[in-house]
Amino acid sequence: MFSFQSINQYHSFLEKNEDGCSIAVNHYLSEIEKKKQLNAFLEVYTNEVIQRAKELDEKRKAGKPIGKMHGVIVGLKDVICYKGHTVSAGSKILENFKSIYSATVVEKLLQEDAIIIGRQNCDEFAMGSSSENSAFGPVRNALDESRVPGGSSGGSAVGVQAGLTMISLGSDTGGSVRQPADFCGVVGLKPSYGRISRYGLIAYASSFDQIGIFSKTIEDAALCLAVISGADDFDSTVSEKPVPAYASELVAAPRKYRIAYFRQAFEHPGLDPIMRTAITDLIDRLKQEGHTVDPIEFEYLKHIVPTYYVLTTAEASSNLSRFDAVRFGYRAPLVSSELNDMYKASRSAGFGKEVQRRIMLGTFVLSSGYFDAYFTKAQQVRRILYNKSVDVFKDYEAIISPTVPSTAFKIGEKSDDQVAMFLADIYTVFANLVGIPAISIPLFTHENGMPFGLQIMTNHFEETKMLQLSEQLISS
Ligand code: GLN
């Protein structure tokens, strides 16, 4: 019976098993089939991965050097392009659209011998917190199928949670990797803005979007991060900073950290009291162990979700204007010879409700007359938040918080209550607004049986420190 603990353990298994990649691929294909009802995958590349596994097994047999992700089975959120494969962003408007090139992350993974097993379900255009906004039906949480897995990268989180992939890639614009990781009890990492190329990622809000990683262990997240990070001629927003060997730096000796937390975040009435207690107990324990853990004032808490939604919907309204039914995507049956009628009919039928709402909101906040009151104001708040993060990181190395204020809710429970749904993002959007790295690590189990995580944020490009602290906390 094949079982997966970590990439390193899997690589030792491959050393002893000539057909190891094929064994792994068969195992995952049958697990995906058995757990179909979770609706985590929109497509599985069955024949391709069987073939690829054979080729990789041959490569090892021939004694050729192997890649860092050799045989590692990876799932891709349905917003990441893979040449010749469908990418639909969970939307009818792109149903059956085939990528004409691969995202940089996909190229990098393939160069290091990864096996891409399929395309994972998500909220349409990555807009949502529950994976209920997919045009292809909701994703189910494997621990309790009546509950959501979080979103928008729900299929990718469930992929790792339910043992359907070793690693999944998602995207995180306001929490879409960390929030489902929290709901599913896995590791979810969003790097600094500019660490990973966004080339080939279908854009939601370009100044927020980052590709992120789901894994079972911190070490696997570190290994994958090192492979997919780094400068790219196709994305000028990626940093030229060298990419550290994150995984080998993980083994640093345990040490004492200077940690901050936002007082208002812990006092927020929306935070589940059991979660508050669990994290407060952790803080007490860390203090006893000699870490500095201080509350700091964060008077902007109530502004961060509105700021996030003004700015991201503005960017989305512009990004999604390319889906015009002329060059690609769904085109509604023609109702008149007017071009505008064709746009309207196609976009009204092709986009789901949530996406339409956001395009309208974004168009509104950018319209003349309202631009300064909303968009400019929100940009100013974004700068204030950035300055706040600069101040905090003068004195502290990390900021901790819950990842989400509650555990996974029931399917349908919040779909009619937009404001309640937006509250799920209250702790995650800060990192995207200021561009810093953040991770959710699975540390706790609630009385209701569901897991929840701790979020750790560090300063720009301090992923190494974030991963080291995560490893130290998870293994203590
Ligand atoms: N829940 C947030 C939203 O709906 C975050 C989405 C994301 O990170 N892609 O915008």
Side-chain angles (χ1 to χ4, degrees):
M1 211 359 222
F2 179 85
S3 90
F4 175 76
Q5 288 350 305
S6 69
I7 295 176
N8 275 332
Q9 166 269 341
Y10 172 53
H11 280 172
S12 338
F13 163 84
L14 290 182
E15 276 171 25
K16 289 177 225 108
N17 288 274
E18 280 197 338
D19 299 325
C21 290
S22 302
I23 294 172
V25 154
N26 288 333
H27 168 81
Y28 282 96
L29 289 174
S30 92
E31 289 301 301
I32 293 172
E33 183 58 34
K34 270 192 243 158
K35 297 175 189 161
K36 248 187 165 161
Q37 78 286 0
L38 299 173
N39 204 19
F41 277 86
L42 293 175
E43 193 179 348
V44 183
Y45 310 135
T46 308
N47 295 335
E48 255 175 64
V49 292
I50 292 172
Q51 186 54 32
R52 171 112 174 133
K54 269 193 204 136
E55 285 162 15
L56 293 171
D57 286 334
E58 289 302 326
K59 186 172 177 179
R60 286 197 319 288
K61 267 182 235 166
K64 294 192 185 142
I66 64 164
K68 295 193 183 78
M69 297 289 280
H70 187 89
V72 174
I73 293 176
V74 182
L76 295 180
K77 181 179 183 181
D78 186 28
V79 289
I80 299 174
C81 296
Y82 181 14
K83 190 175 176 175
H85 297 75
T86 302
V87 61
S88 69
S91 180
K92 286 270 179 235
I93 211 157
L94 276 181
E95 199 174 5
N96 304 323
F97 172 76
K98 288 223 185 319
S99 300
I100 51 173
Y101 58 84
S102 288
T104 298
V105 290
V106 170
E107 295 285 1
K108 286 181 185 253
L109 285 172
L110 292 175
Q111 265 163 28
E112 294 292 341
D113 291 352
I115 301 176
I116 294 177
I117 195 160
R119 187 161 63 88
Q120 294 164 324
N121 202 357
C122 59
D123 283 307
E124 187 177 2
F125 285 96
M127 296 175 184
S129 308
S130 64
S131 299
E132 294 169 288
N133 295 338
S134 165
F136 307 104
V139 183
R140 296 181 179 276
N141 193 310
L143 267 171
D144 174 349
E145 293 182 17
S146 67
R147 291 179 194 263
V148 302
S152 62
S153 317
S156 308
V158 171
V160 171
Q161 177 198 35
L164 314 177
T165 57
M166 296 176 181
I167 295 274
S168 298
L169 293 190
S171 65
D172 190 313
T173 304
S176 276
V177 167
R178 289 159 286 153
Q179 191 256 18
D182 172 283
F183 278 11
C184 293
V186 300
V187 174
L189 182 155
K190 178 202 91 76
S192 308
Y193 186 80
R195 181 73 294 187
I196 296 178
S197 169
R198 288 177 296 112
Y199 181 71
L201 168 68
I202 295 180
Y204 160 15
S206 312
S207 76
F208 293 74
D209 299 339
Q210 273 294 288
I211 289 172
I213 302 163
F214 293 94
S215 61
K216 273 179 89 161
T217 67
I218 307 287
E219 187 190 31
D220 284 357
L223 276 168
C224 182
L225 181 65
V227 167
I228 63 177
S229 294
D232 182 13
D233 289 345
F234 295 120
D235 177 359
S236 61
T237 64
V238 186
S239 166
E240 301 278 332
K241 277 187 206 301
V243 178
Y246 295 112
S248 35
E249 294 192 25
L250 264 191
V251 286
R255 66 174 183 88
K256 309 297 173 211
Y257 285 85
R258 281 173 291 116
I259 301 169
Y261 64 92
F262 295 145
R263 187 175 63 77
Q264 284 80 354
F266 279 73
E267 288 170 4
H268 194 274
L271 175 60
D272 178 310
I274 293 172
M275 297 172 65
R276 182 183 293 118
T277 308
I279 299 185
T280 312
D281 288 351
L282 172 74
I283 290 174
D284 290 342
R285 199 192 88 206
L286 291 174
K287 283 190 200 159
Q288 277 161 19
E289 288 170 6
H291 300 274
T292 303
V293 193
D294 293 338
I296 49 172
E297 294 303 308
F298 186 65
E299 52 282 40
Y300 312 113
L301 191 66
K302 65 175 183 293
H303 302 297
I304 57 176
V305 170
T307 305
Y308 167 82
Y309 277 98
V310 167
L311 295 176
T312 54
T313 55
E315 293 189 24
S317 72
S318 160
N319 274 327
L320 272 59
S321 64
R322 73 191 62 167
F323 302 102
D324 57 6
V326 174
R327 287 159 297 180
F328 49 79
Y330 172 78
R331 181 181 296 179
L334 291 186
V335 283
S336 82
S337 55
E338 286 297 314
L339 182 63
N340 267 332
D341 290 341
M342 194 275 285
Y343 289 151
K344 262 194 227 161
S346 303
R347 287 166 64 87
S348 302
F351 287 132
K353 285 264 171 316
E354 182 62 21
V355 174
Q356 292 190 28
R357 254 198 302 261
R358 292 194 191 196
I359 292 173
M360 286 191 280
L361 183 60
T363 309
F364 172 75
V365 300
L366 289 175
S367 58
S368 65
Y370 293 101
F371 187 90
D372 280 342
Y374 293 102
F375 187 75
T376 309
K377 180 67 86 200
Q379 291 285 38
Q380 288 163 341
V381 178
R382 190 176 198 183
R383 167 55 68 167
I384 291 171
L385 293 170
Y386 178 85
N387 292 345
K388 177 77 188 180
S389 78
V390 171
D391 270 356
V392 175
F393 290 120
K394 277 185 195 144
D395 298 321
Y396 298 94
E397 297 170 282
I399 306 172
I400 57 169
S401 76
T403 308
V404 195
S406 71
T407 54
F409 43 89
K410 298 272 181 190
I411 292 178
E413 187 182 325
K414 295 194 178 167
S415 26
D416 293 329
D417 185 349
Q418 228 31 41
V419 175
M421 194 69 99
F422 289 174
L423 186 67
D425 304 332
I426 189 166
Y427 300 131
T428 47
V429 294
F430 179 75
N432 306 78
L433 279 157
V434 305
I436 54 176
I439 191 168
S440 179
I441 58 172
L443 283 189
F444 310 101
T445 306
H446 195 275
E447 275 174 25
N448 65 13
M450 298 309 288
F452 61 99
L454 179 78
Q455 177 176 239
I456 303 172
M457 298 177 265
T458 51
N459 207 352
H460 294 267
F461 294 95
E462 292 199 338
E463 277 82 359
T464 303
K465 197 178 279 177
M466 183 174 83
L467 290 160
Q468 286 170 339
L469 175 56
S470 301
E471 182 66 19
Q472 191 171 324
L473 290 182
I474 227 165
S475 50
S476 70

